[in-house]
Every structure is written in structure tokens, then in C-alpha cells.
């Protein structure tokens, strides 16, 4: 049995502005926050946690193409 066979994935979205980013997932996508603190907001979607995390020096790399 693989060590990851029963693993449950977590999606982590890094941002410098948790409030603004979480508002997108809440308002535009209709997700409900499950928990939150000053560093992150966690949403539950399809049985998987989506964590919007504060990373003060985060810089996006590249653009989708």
C-alpha cells in the first residue's frame, strides 16, 4: 500500500491579501468559509479543503498560457 493511497489533498492558495482573495472564493464562487484566522481562510469544496493563506512576500510567477 502506498503511503499516499489514503491521503486527502488540500489546495493552498497563497496571497498577500487574504480578505480580497477570500472574498473572490466566497462571493464569486459561492463557497462558505469553514474556519478563518488572521493568516488564512479555509473553504470546503468537493470534500477537499481550499486554504487561502497569507504569505507576506508572495509574488505570482508567470501567467497562464
Amino acid at each position: 500500500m502506498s503511503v499516499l493511497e489514503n491521503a486527502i489533498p488540500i489546495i493552498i492558495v497563497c496571497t498577500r491579501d487574504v480578505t480580497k482573495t477570500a472574498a473572490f472564493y466566497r462571493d464569486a464562487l459561492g463557497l462558505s468559509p469553514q474556519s478563518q484566522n488572521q493568516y488564512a481562510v479555509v473553504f470546503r469544496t468537493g470534500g477537499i479543503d481550499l486554504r487561502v493563506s497569507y504569505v507576506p512576500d508572495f509574488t505570482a510567477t508567470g501567467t497562464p498560457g
Side-chain angles (χ1 to χ4, degrees):
M1 176 180 349
S2 167
V3 70
L4 296 177
E5 190 170 320
N6 294 317
I8 299 172
I10 297 172
I11 301 165
I12 300 174
V13 176
C14 299
T15 183
R16 287 188 273 179
D17 189 337
V18 171
T19 302
K20 183 177 178 180
T21 305
F24 168 78
Y25 286 97
R26 183 189 64 240
D27 301 339
L29 300 182
L31 300 179
S32 297
Q34 299 299 303
S35 64
Q36 63 186 62
N37 60 36
Q38 65 190 41
Y39 302 107
V41 178
V42 178
F43 298 92
R44 187 91 170 148
T45 179
I48 297 173
D49 285 345
L50 184 151
R51 179 182 173 97
V52 176
S53 295
Y54 174 64
V55 180
D57 59 351
F58 176 72
T59 302
T61 57
T63 57

